[in-house]
Amino acid sequence: MAQRQDFPASVPTVAVIIPVRNGSDYIDQALASIVTQTVPVDEVVVVDDGSTDRTYEQASRWSGILPLRVIRTEHTGTWHARHCAVEAAGTDLILQLDSDDMLLPGAVASMTQAYARRPGLIAPRRLMLVEGETADIPRAITERLPESGDQYAYMLVRNYIGIGCLYSKKDYKAVGGYRPGRYAEDWDLWLRFAAAGIPISLAEEPTYVYSVHRKNASSSVGPAQGDQETLRRFLHVGSEAHRRTGKLALLQRAGIEYLRELKRASLADTPVDVAAVGLVGNARIEVWRDDDLGYVLVGEAATGDGRRLVVVSAAGTEMRLRSIVTPGGALEENETDPALRWEGRNLTWYGWLAHEAWDGSIDKVATPSAQELSDPD
């Protein structure tokens, strides 16, 4: 495949976008980290999402030494603040920065070099700064990308890149930009990037300091709830393999509750050897049917350790997920579809759990159409 050449005539321009709400404790250090860049940026856009403290005034003070624009909006949420910031930027490339985080001095240089090598979505290499840790020294995060050519399937399983990405405004517009959501607005966007076949790659050097503290906005919504909201937008996008992967990911997060949305089936009509999948063969087994998942069975485990959920292909020949069901209806200790194997690392990533992989590799699956991306519901 020929390498994309988005900006052949000149060096692309870069804007740093910062959404912020009540960020007076952190905004100065975020903006200071832009000043220290070895390669200067062309624009900085701060969107104040209805702050009730002095965030707007503090940010505005930096206009003398940064190409800065500070925009005030009513409080409508992080997704809208990010959207407004991108819309206001007049540059070719967008670089994310959250108001409580920092860019390392070589971030702009490293990220734009990575983009020049492989235009697409450039993920950061991050350091994590955890509130209360000894001497406030950040620690490295191991950033990993799937080696498969189908990064969309893996992105359905989990968001494997963090805040601090760089991308072109052209690509951002093509996939529809930020959409309304209470949580995981970035994951929703990255899913559409990956589904459109826009390649995801990593910067070579650490670029970003990610801060973890009690005021983090993402702590207000549980990850399982936010993930479900995002995944539901993609359950009907892409090939059967994509749809199955999205539904397996949703099932792992929602647990038994998700089965209420599936069709009931009869065990007698199910081509599944219940003993072979680890269930006690009796009338207490409940069965559901889905065109993409196949059959979902819930019954007593043959090992005597409680209830177990098993997902089996429609032909009854391939087990796609097996999990213990907790008394509350959650799933744990997943053994899952080999299609979710993290290639070359002997790990299977599913939700936020990692396990030894089964043998096998991900199926070759088709890229979703532009219509599916623009209207996934």
Side-chain angles (χ1 to χ4, degrees):
M1 180 182 294
Q3 183 172 342
R4 296 172 52 185
Q5 297 291 335
D6 287 3
F7 310 104
S10 62
V11 176
T13 53
V14 181
V16 175
I17 64 162
I18 306 176
V20 57
R21 174 170 168 78
N22 293 335
S24 59
D25 290 344
Y26 304 99
I27 190 65
D28 286 334
Q29 69 179 20
L31 292 168
S33 75
I34 304 175
V35 175
T36 65
Q37 291 303 300
T38 57
V39 172
V41 299
D42 299 280
E43 294 181 31
V44 180
V45 182
V46 176
V47 174
D48 181 355
D49 181 34
S51 293
T52 56
D53 62 6
R54 290 186 53 80
T55 294
Y56 179 84
E57 290 77 13
Q58 283 182 229
S60 298
R61 291 181 305 139
W62 291 84
S63 59
I65 54 176
L66 284 172
L68 176 67
R69 182 178 177 187
V70 184
I71 301 170
R72 245 178 177 165
T73 66
E74 295 183 1
H75 177 41
T76 48
T78 303
W79 79 267
H80 188 255
R82 295 196 198 281
H83 166 78
C84 290
V86 176
E87 290 298 312
T91 56
D92 301 313
L93 301 177
I94 304 296
L95 176 58
Q96 294 178 320
L97 175 61
D98 275 0
S99 61
D100 53 352
D101 297 335
M102 293 173 283
L103 296 175
L104 292 169
V108 174
S110 183
M111 297 292 275
T112 53
Q113 287 168 9
Y115 188 91
R117 287 191 299 271
R118 192 184 188 199
L121 178 60
I122 310 302
R125 290 193 184 273
R126 297 171 295 166
L127 305 180
M128 179 181 289
L129 186 62
V130 181
E131 184 179 41
E133 283 197 348
T134 304
D136 293 326
I137 298 174
R139 63 173 184 261
I141 299 175
T142 301
E143 308 285 3
R144 297 186 289 196
L145 296 182
E147 297 170 16
S148 168
D150 189 359
Q151 294 179 322
Y152 174 51
Y154 286 93
M155 187 63 75
L156 284 164
V157 176
R158 66 188 294 271
N159 183 9
Y160 49 77
I161 59 177
I163 194 69
C165 291
L166 178 138
Y167 49 86
S168 77
K169 192 167 180 179
K170 177 182 175 182
D171 284 343
Y172 171 87
K173 291 276 194 180
V175 301
Y178 282 111
R179 298 190 293 191
R182 295 170 297 170
Y183 181 83
E185 71 281 346
D186 288 315
W187 188 25
D188 175 76
L189 182 60
W190 308 154
L191 278 163
R192 283 176 284 133
F193 267 70
I198 297 169
I200 304 171
S201 55
L202 277 169
E204 289 191 347
E205 304 294 333
T207 59
Y208 198 90
V209 179
Y210 174 65
S211 298
V212 179
H213 53 83
R214 286 168 293 180
K215 294 183 180 180
N216 280 117
S218 59
S219 64
S220 61
V221 181
Q225 178 185 349
D227 286 2
Q228 290 177 49
E229 178 183 281
T230 300
L231 282 167
R232 287 182 182 280
R233 291 176 162 178
F234 295 89
L235 294 185
H236 305 290
V237 174
S239 68
E240 178 186 346
H242 285 134
R243 297 192 301 269
R244 181 175 73 244
T245 299
K247 290 178 179 180
L248 285 169
L250 179 59
L251 176 60
Q252 195 272 337
R253 290 162 170 83
I256 295 298
E257 285 296 312
Y258 178 53
L259 300 184
R260 296 181 179 181
E261 302 175 30
L262 306 183
K263 296 178 181 178
R264 284 277 191 170
S266 167
L267 181 61
D269 297 328
T270 304
V272 178
D273 183 340
V274 295
V277 298
L279 298 179
V280 176
N282 57 41
R284 297 180 62 185
I285 295 177
E286 298 179 279
V287 184
W288 291 262
R289 177 73 167 81
D290 178 83
D291 289 342
D292 300 311
L293 290 174
Y295 292 100
V296 183
L297 290 75
V298 178
E300 294 299 316
T303 53
D305 56 355
R307 289 200 304 165
R308 188 177 290 273
L309 176 144
V310 182
V311 180
V312 185
S313 63
T317 57
E318 178 188 357
M319 186 157 52
R320 291 174 169 165
L321 186 148
R322 182 171 58 189
S323 177
I324 292 173
V325 181
T326 70
L331 306 184
E332 62 180 27
E333 298 185 20
N334 293 278
E335 301 171 31
T336 189
D337 193 336
L340 307 183
R341 178 172 175 263
W342 194 278
E343 295 181 46
R345 299 187 184 277
N346 199 35
L347 290 174
T348 297
W349 287 92
Y350 199 77
W352 48 90
L353 303 176
H355 300 282
E356 291 300 312
W358 295 1
D359 291 332
S361 60
I362 194 161
D363 297 332
K364 299 296 183 183
V365 288
T367 300
S369 68
Q371 178 62 33
E372 288 175 313
L373 290 174
S374 61
D375 187 20
D377 297 327

